[in-house]
């Protein structure tokens, strides 16, 4: 597959050149590291366009460059010791690649297309929307699907298919309208690239949700060298250090339950399929639905998290599940701390921490650490933890959460600080209060509504914590150390806005794009 290189230093429209930083207090200096924030520019709306990646210089919190990504970017990873950036674009069958040293310049690697169809009729009755298309059945219950281009904008968006048959599918939707006939260009599409990862220098691995494939990209030629068939709907990829095996977490479908595909990286073939709920490859038993996967630093185990909160420990010598432990239902993210070999899992009930140094992960601190809403928050709902990061020295963990009451138009974000040694919540930092932009942006269903990661640092340098805020359209910066007269773990109002979107302006300028993921440079 050919790589089409586009020099975005000359082609990026001016809307991508507006990111800078918003000053509360002056940004504090830090070591020479970088962060990359990935943003979408609409998902289902007719105004949707290419997303972006801004490269942030940690020292001073300034933007080094803006890169045009594809449509619906949701995940990213660095390869080559942090010299190359790869972005998974879920809605247009591409992966964006860029040399970090040239943060305005990128290329698009084309992937085999995921299932899509032209919509001929859209009909909503106030609770359910039904979409009609021609040809064989392409969409099935449980599938995620993007709908775009419908004349009635309320029918566009990202959905989970509730019911389907040949030529039509239905989703939950509150719009009461009918488009008959539908506009030319209206489309339904299953997401394609949703996750990218690597632990080696020569290859990058991309989960193709809609094609049930793992794409292998050669990092020298930027060519897809293999499309490895895996089980239903791969959503996460973990490669053990040393590059001998790749483990693909498959979310499952109506045809087959959750599983893990083990890939031999020499032959780029499936060595084994592990059905987490029992059964055989292609027809695994229903139940587990994986959402994340990480590898242990010594390559001995891989951990797979499912949405029920179960963590499956896979022995990499036998490629079998040797134990499992439980967090809680609604688990959505897992972070591996290399310092103390711990697993940090966020869920609706808070933060769960597990010791992963032995043969079986063990729960620490007596259960979930509660993540309450920040004091004085104007949002009257419980905090929803969505991601967690740990400082490079392992001393503190930071949990990013949001509040959004059903029916409310306001979203509040916060960052909670955890003493990693004692497992104690020490502080909750309110960050932003903004309007709910999910109708146009997909915030809450595409990528992460709030996501956090830590910058590099060390004994003689300081760590910073960054929080991407989808609805607010920016990245908040929190110093983990005393700075500018503020105590450690303070938010002084420094935020880095995303590039401007293509959505209509409600004031003098269009709203910003919506950040959904971040990756930290070395």
């Amino acid at each position: 597959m050919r790589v089409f290189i586009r020099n975005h230093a000359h082609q990026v429209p001016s809307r991508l050149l507006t990111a800078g930083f918003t000053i509360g207090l002056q940004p504090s200096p830090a070591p020479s590291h970088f962060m990359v924030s990935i943003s979408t520019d609409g998902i289902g709306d007719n105004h949707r366009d290419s997303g972006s990646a801004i490269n942030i210089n940690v020292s001073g919190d300034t933007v080094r460059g803006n890169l045009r990504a594809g449509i619906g970017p949701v995940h990213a990873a660095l390869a080559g010791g942090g010299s190359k950036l790869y972005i998974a674009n879920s809605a247009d069958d591409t992966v964006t690649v860029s040399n970090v040293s040239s943060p305005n310049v990128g290329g698009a690697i084309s992937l085999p297309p995921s299932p899509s169809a032209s919509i001929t009729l859209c009909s909503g009755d106030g609770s359910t929307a039904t979409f009609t298309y021609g040809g064989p059945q392409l969409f099935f219950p449980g599938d995620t699907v993007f709908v775009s281009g419908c004349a009635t904008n309320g029918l566009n968006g990202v959905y989970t298919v509730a019911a389907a048959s040949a030529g039509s599918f239905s989703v939950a939707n509150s719009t009461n309208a009918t488009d008959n006939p539908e506009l030319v260009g209206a489309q339904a599409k299953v997401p394609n690239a949703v996750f990218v990862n690597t632990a080696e220098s020569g290859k990058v691995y991309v989960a193709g949700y809609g094609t049930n494939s793992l794409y292998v990209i050669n990092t020298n030629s930027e060519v897809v060298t293999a499309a490895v068939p895996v089980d239903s709907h791969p959503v996460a990829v973990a490669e053990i250090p040393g590059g001998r095996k790749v483990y693909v977490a498959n979310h499952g479908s109506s045809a087959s339950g959750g599983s893990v595909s083990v890939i031999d990286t020499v032959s780029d073939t499936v060595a084994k399929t592990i059905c987490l709920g029992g059964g055989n490859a292609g027809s695994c038993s229903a139940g587990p639905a994986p959402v994340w996967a990480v590898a242990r630093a010594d390559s001995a185990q891989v951990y797979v998290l499912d949405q029920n909160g179960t963590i499956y420990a896979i022995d990499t010598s036998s490629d079998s599940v040797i134990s499992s432990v439980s967090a809680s239902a609604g688990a959505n993210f897992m972070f591996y701390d290399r310092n103390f070999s711990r697993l940090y899992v966020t869920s609706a009930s808070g933060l769960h921490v597990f010791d992963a140094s032995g043969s079986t992960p063990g729960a620490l601190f007596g259960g979930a650490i509660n993540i309450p809403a920040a004091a004085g928050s104007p949002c009257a709902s419980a905090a929803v933890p969505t991601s967690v990061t740990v400082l490079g020295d392992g001393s503190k963990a930071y949990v990013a959460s949001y509040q959004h009451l059903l029916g409310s138009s306001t979203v509040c974000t916060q960052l909670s600080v955890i003493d990693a040694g004692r497992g104690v919540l020490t502080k909750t930092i309110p960050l932003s209060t903004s309007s709910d932009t999910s109708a146009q942006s997909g915030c809450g269903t595409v990528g992460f509504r709030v996501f956090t990661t830590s910058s590099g640092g060390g004994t003689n340098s300081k760590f910073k914590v960054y929080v991407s805020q989808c609805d607010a359209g920016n990245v908040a910066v929190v110093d983990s150390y005393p700075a500018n007269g503020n105590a450690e773990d303070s938010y002084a109002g420094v935020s880095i806005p995303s590039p401007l979107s293509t959505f209509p302006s409600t004031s003098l300028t269009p709203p910003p794009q919506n950040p959904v993921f971040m990756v930290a440079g070395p």
Side-chain angles (χ1 to χ4, degrees):
M1 297 174 188
R2 188 176 177 185
V3 180
F4 298 93
I5 299 295
R6 298 170 291 178
N7 189 330
H8 296 309
H10 300 288
Q11 296 181 358
V12 174
S14 60
R15 67 185 176 86
L16 286 183
L17 302 177
T18 59
F21 58 82
T22 301
I23 298 178
L25 293 178
Q26 287 288 342
S28 55
S32 181
H33 301 289
F34 68 89
M35 309 289 296
V36 178
S37 174
I38 308 299
S39 295
T40 64
D41 187 3
I43 292 297
D45 193 282
N46 290 333
H47 297 283
R48 75 175 188 167
D49 202 347
S50 299
S52 65
I54 59 172
N55 187 304
I56 301 167
N57 182 357
V58 171
S59 180
D61 297 319
T62 55
V63 174
R64 297 177 59 241
N66 301 306
L67 175 70
R68 183 192 290 274
I71 298 176
V74 292
H75 194 261
L78 294 166
S83 63
K84 283 187 175 182
L85 173 69
Y86 291 82
I87 304 171
N89 303 310
S90 63
D92 72 354
D93 305 316
T94 66
V95 171
T96 299
V97 58
S98 173
N99 288 313
V100 171
S101 60
S102 301
N104 295 310
V105 182
I109 303 173
S110 296
L111 306 176
S114 62
S116 64
S118 296
I119 298 173
T120 57
L121 185 152
C122 298
S123 178
D125 63 8
S127 62
T128 300
T130 300
F131 303 92
T132 302
Y133 61 94
Q137 183 170 354
L138 298 175
F139 310 103
F140 298 86
D143 286 356
T144 298
V145 62
F146 294 130
V147 174
S148 61
C150 293
T152 301
N153 199 42
L155 294 171
N156 297 311
V158 55
Y159 304 106
T160 298
V161 175
S165 60
S168 71
F169 65 93
S170 299
V171 303
N173 183 283
S174 60
T175 302
N176 192 337
T178 297
D179 298 344
N180 185 19
E182 188 49 88
L183 295 176
V184 174
Q187 183 190 61
K189 183 175 180 61
V190 179
N192 198 349
V194 296
F195 200 101
V196 56
N197 200 5
T198 187
E200 55 184 296
S201 59
K203 295 178 180 178
V204 166
Y205 302 91
V206 181
Y209 174 92
T211 61
N212 300 331
S213 299
L214 178 74
Y215 304 118
V216 184
I217 296 174
N218 182 295
T219 59
N220 294 314
S221 63
E222 308 301 2
V223 168
V224 175
T225 57
V228 185
V230 295
D231 219 338
S232 297
H233 295 335
V235 292
V237 179
E239 182 177 15
I240 58 176
R244 293 180 292 108
K245 294 179 183 178
V246 170
Y247 292 77
V248 183
N250 306 303
H251 189 73
S253 67
S254 57
S256 183
S259 66
V260 177
S261 299
V262 184
I263 310 300
D264 180 334
T265 60
V266 175
S267 61
D268 290 333
T269 58
V270 177
K272 185 176 182 179
T273 298
I274 305 168
C275 291
L276 297 177
N280 300 308
S283 58
C284 295
S285 300
V291 294
W292 212 261
V294 296
R296 202 165 77 179
D298 63 1
S299 300
Q301 292 187 8
V302 165
Y303 304 99
V304 177
L305 173 70
D306 77 7
Q307 64 186 18
N308 292 321
T310 302
I311 301 171
Y312 300 87
I314 297 174
D315 178 271
T316 59
S317 61
S318 63
D319 290 330
S320 59
V321 175
I322 56 173
S323 65
S324 64
V325 292
S326 294
S328 61
N332 47 36
F333 180 73
M334 177 167 58
F335 182 93
Y336 175 72
D337 172 33
R338 298 172 62 92
N339 292 279
F340 301 108
S341 195
R342 288 179 175 180
L343 299 171
Y344 289 79
V345 178
T346 52
S347 73
S349 63
L351 176 68
H352 301 258
V353 186
F354 298 88
D355 177 8
S357 61
S359 58
T360 300
L364 297 174
F365 311 127
I369 301 170
N370 183 44
I371 305 296
S377 170
C379 292
S381 60
V384 180
T386 62
S387 62
V388 58
T389 191
V390 178
L391 295 186
D393 61 6
S395 62
K396 291 186 283 189
Y398 294 79
V399 179
S401 308
Y402 72 90
Q403 296 169 269
H404 180 228
L405 187 64
L406 186 63
S408 168
S409 60
T410 304
V411 176
C412 299
T413 62
Q414 63 179 46
L415 187 68
S416 299
V417 187
I418 309 294
D419 181 324
R422 298 180 295 141
V424 174
L425 173 73
T426 61
K427 191 174 188 178
T428 295
I429 309 165
L431 297 176
S432 71
T433 301
S434 56
S435 298
D436 175 11
T437 66
S438 58
Q440 71 180 39
S441 66
C443 290
T445 54
V446 177
F448 290 82
R449 197 156 206 161
V450 284
F451 189 83
T452 184
T453 190
S454 166
S455 72
T459 303
N460 297 314
S461 59
K462 306 298 185 181
F463 297 98
K464 292 184 177 182
V465 178
Y466 292 76
V467 184
S468 63
Q469 304 175 101
C470 188
D471 297 278
N474 63 41
V475 175
V477 185
V478 173
D479 294 317
S480 69
Y481 53 93
N484 292 317
N486 294 312
E488 64 180 59
D489 298 323
S490 295
Y491 176 53
V494 176
S495 62
I496 303 164
S498 292
L500 299 181
S501 71
T502 55
F503 283 82
S505 173
T506 55
S507 56
L508 296 178
T509 59
Q513 293 187 11
N514 306 96
V516 295
F517 189 73
M518 296 194 73
V519 59

